Every structure is written in structure tokens, then in C-alpha cells.
Amino acid sequence: MDPGDRSAEETAIRETSEELGIERGLIKVIGALDILVTPFQEMIHPYVCTIAEHAILTPNPDEVEEVFYVPLHVLKQESFERHDVYLKVEPPEDFPFERIPRGKYYNWSKGTMPEYFVSYQGRTIWGLTARILHNFLEIAGGEIRDA
């Protein structure tokens, strides 16, 4: 969020407008998805939106490498591959180990983070984009259809 943004929804509209080079008025918010919290101190508030059919996309090359279309029915029938990424806590040497039980031998929790992949026409969607799409499809279930 920029300091001038009044809400996460306003941020999503501004970012979409800036990245795709379209007027904000051509973006209609349908609703919010689940907030995505990453292990890298990021909190992402994704939104489902429609863009007016007559909108002309002029992607910002500093932020967008490529724009392509994947029909919703393709995403619904394609299965997302899931590969877990393992996360491990590694405190730095100057960590105050003397203040915790078992010191340097403390049994830190380990975790995993799902990494999703889906391919379409030779392109692979992965990372945050795939996690957001996966969440969208889980929430929408069978209630989505191509426009």
C-alpha cells in the first residue's frame, strides 16, 4: 500500500491500473480473496476484478514482462501441481541463545510452503500468482464460468 491508498482494495485497483496501463474506472471489483501471508514478511490482499472489454492494455515494462490470457475453464480442468518448499529457522550467531531453553540446541519448528504450478500453451504460472489462482478456484468452486 502507498501512503495515499485508503484501503487494500484501492491499492489493488491502483496497482492493476499502473501495471496494465488502464484507467481505474475500467476495473470493477467483484470481491476479496483470502489474505496471503508469506514467510518473507509480506501480506498480500488479492481481489477478483473484471476489466471492461473495451479496455486497451498497455503493460508497464518495468513491472510486467508479459500479459497472456488463460480461459477459466482451462484453469478449472487443469490440475495444479503442488511441490512443497521446506522452511527452516536459522538464527544468526549473535542470537541470545542463553535466554532460551536448550540454548543453541533448541528444537526449532520447521515448516513447508506450498508452491503451485499450472501450465498453458507453453507458459507456466507459478509462485504468488499460482497461489492466488489456486485460492480463487478453491473459493469459487463450480460457480465460475468464462465471460
Side-chain angles (χ1 to χ4, degrees):
M1 290 180 74
D2 281 352
D5 295 341
R6 293 177 295 211
S7 66
E9 182 177 312
E10 187 174 309
T11 300
I13 293 169
R14 179 185 53 74
E15 286 285 336
T16 303
S17 174
E18 289 174 3
E19 291 179 9
L20 296 180
I22 58 176
E23 296 174 36
R24 291 181 189 200
L26 299 178
I27 303 165
K28 179 185 173 198
V29 175
I30 305 297
L33 294 175
D34 294 339
I35 295 171
L36 179 63
V37 179
T38 74
F40 310 108
Q41 300 178 349
E42 298 171 315
M43 191 171 0
I44 299 165
H45 299 254
Y47 285 82
V48 177
C49 301
T50 59
I51 297 173
E53 276 189 53
H54 65 277
I56 297 172
L57 304 183
T58 315
N60 178 342
D62 293 333
E63 299 200 38
V64 178
E65 184 176 324
E66 181 180 21
V67 175
F68 59 94
Y69 173 80
V70 181
L72 283 175
H73 74 272
V74 170
L75 290 174
K76 283 172 50 178
Q77 62 195 53
E78 287 295 322
S79 58
F80 282 69
E81 284 180 52
R82 176 183 170 151
H83 298 273
D84 288 336
V85 175
Y86 297 98
L87 305 172
K88 180 180 171 186
V89 177
E90 290 188 14
E93 284 300 315
D94 64 348
F95 185 83
F97 291 105
E98 69 280 358
R99 298 174 72 184
I100 62 172
R102 300 189 63 224
K104 285 190 174 194
Y105 303 102
Y106 180 78
N107 187 19
W108 296 97
S109 296
K110 295 175 184 166
T112 59
M113 178 179 73
E115 196 67 67
Y116 295 103
F117 295 80
V118 64
S119 296
Y120 177 69
Q121 294 185 343
R123 294 179 171 98
T124 298
I125 301 169
W126 71 286
L128 289 173
T129 303
R131 286 179 70 189
I132 292 167
L133 281 172
H134 186 267
N135 177 243
F136 168 68
L137 293 168
E138 281 185 326
I139 291 171
E143 299 179 29
I144 56 175
R145 61 188 181 283
D146 286 334

